[in-house]
Amino acid sequence: MTMKKFILKSVSLILAISLLSAQNFSIMASTTTAAVEFEESVFSYDDDLLLAELSELDELDAYIEANEGTTFDELTNENSPLVANIESTASPMGMADQSGEPPLGIPSFLWGCVFGVVGLVIVYIMTDSDMDQTKKAMWGCVASTAVSVVLYMVVWGAWASAVDAAY
Amino acid sequence: MRNTLHLILLFSVVLGFNLNSAAQDYFRMSADFTTKVKPVEGKMNLTKGKIYYDKYSQELIYDISFPSKEKWIVQDSKIYKITNDSVYFTEEIPSMNEFTVFHLALNSNLTYFGLDEAKFSISNIDKKGDLVISYWNIPPHIQKVISTIAIAKKNNQLHSIVITGENNKILNKQFFKDYIQIGGFEFPGSIVQIFYDENNNEEYQVMEFKNIELNDIDNEENYHYQLDN
């Protein structure tokens, strides 16, 4: 009898967790977008063109590697042609300062190589002019999280009592 | 005899579990980096130095040696630029360090560039040649500017990301190449990013990494910058 009760509670618990997980995952899954498929060539680039475009930078890079500690100012003072077309400011994350609006309104440095797609999406949402909608979405997220936490606590409580009853 | 076998089996399981845990426990990294930027117009940019990142403190430090000696510290929601131990620039930014390639790699979450961990969902999966391509659903807020995020994996490693905008025009491509493998840790030796402007002109950003060091506990000060200095 106790075993049957335990199995029933366990099944209920698994179903509750499945339902809760499905609910959580559907938050993003519901935002369906138009189906699109790319050709394999989209996921490639012209390596030779890249090398050609970066040749001046590669030349300067090789010089700095061979002459460790050399600074931009030192090269400028020597009238080195290596820095004739190079900015004097650092841009470690990529995307040097440029005039005009950054792409999608996202701060330039955040378009750099090191930030993930999720980060860019978050930044876009946070920098979106429609702040009211953004705030509503945030409150929706907070409410959803609170409900999830309460449900999880209830479910875990039920599980703990089921285990106690079984043993 | 049977007891001995049980003991050996138990020991193997415990040892295996511990080795697996140890292999996954990469908490900080440093690397030499080189960033090259070639815009459509205007001057190019070369930045060289060393990055330090600790995933627990989520502090990202760029110790720059070229064009000039300076440090960029990204802490919480602020970026500080420092020369000669004095802050010359501060800016509020969204808290982003947990979405960096460094954080994702240290947590072995680089395969989908963090999208899966953020509970984004895949709308479609396709196979083209060696590539397994996943297409991701876009949050409603940004569908008007980003229409598609497609991630290609090759040999179970992140290979490339393509982001498209209105009318599926490609805005941005990123390629993750020359992976460096250290134990169970893997990190792209180079990241190539290509932007397309409204006239389809290409702008290039390339970031290269080498001399990666993991879990360095002897140089604590490199990973935590005391700003009150």
Side-chain angles (χ1 to χ4, degrees), chain A residues 47-61:
Chain A
D47 223 352
D48 293 335
L49 177 64
L50 180 69
L51 274 175
E53 292 281 345
L54 298 183
S55 60
E56 276 183 66
L57 287 166
D58 287 339
E59 201 179 338
L60 174 60
D61 184 23

Side-chain angles (χ1 to χ4, degrees), chain A residues 28-128:
Chain A
M28 279 302 175
S30 63
T31 59
T32 51
T33 46
V36 60
E37 283 188 6
F38 298 125
E39 291 303 313
E40 193 178 355
S41 59
V42 171
F43 297 92
S44 64
Y45 63 92
D46 187 338
D47 223 352
D48 293 335
L49 177 64
L50 180 69
L51 274 175
E53 292 281 345
L54 298 183
S55 60
E56 276 183 66
L57 287 166
D58 287 339
E59 201 179 338
L60 174 60
D61 184 23
Y63 181 86
I64 304 296
E65 288 278 326
N67 299 275
E68 210 174 312
T70 304
T71 63
F72 182 89
D73 286 344
E74 287 167 4
L75 291 171
T76 308
N77 291 338
E78 293 166 10
N79 288 322
S80 169
L82 289 170
V83 290
N85 199 23
I86 305 291
E87 279 188 343
S88 59
T89 52
S91 181
M93 298 181 230
M95 193 62 114
D97 287 337
Q98 293 168 42
S99 56
E101 283 293 304
L104 308 183
I106 293 172
S108 293
F109 71 90
L110 293 177
W111 266 115
C113 297
V114 299
F115 290 104
V117 183
V118 179
L120 294 178
V121 168
I122 288 169
V123 170
Y124 182 76
I125 291 171
M126 291 183 76
T127 54
D128 192 351

Side-chain angles (χ1 to χ4, degrees), chain A residues 38 58 61 65 87 92 114 116, chain B residues 35-36 44 48 99 101 135:
Chain A
F38 298 125
D58 287 339
D61 184 23
E65 288 278 326
E87 279 188 343
V114 299
Chain B
T35 306
K36 300 167 184 173
M44 296 177 281
K48 291 177 75 67
F99 302 111
V101 68
Y135 297 87

Side-chain angles (χ1 to χ4, degrees), chain A residues 1-7 9-10 159-167:
Chain A
M1 190 63 186
T2 311
M3 193 62 189
K4 190 180 174 187
K5 199 175 164 186
F6 174 70
I7 290 170
K9 284 200 172 180
S10 299
W159 178 79
S161 59
V163 170
D164 283 347
Y167 297 99

Side-chain angles (χ1 to χ4, degrees), chain B residues 97-110:
Chain B
N97 282 352
E98 63 187 294
F99 302 111
T100 61
V101 68
F102 313 114
H103 191 89
L104 293 171
L106 286 169
N107 286 295
S108 305
N109 288 334
L110 198 55

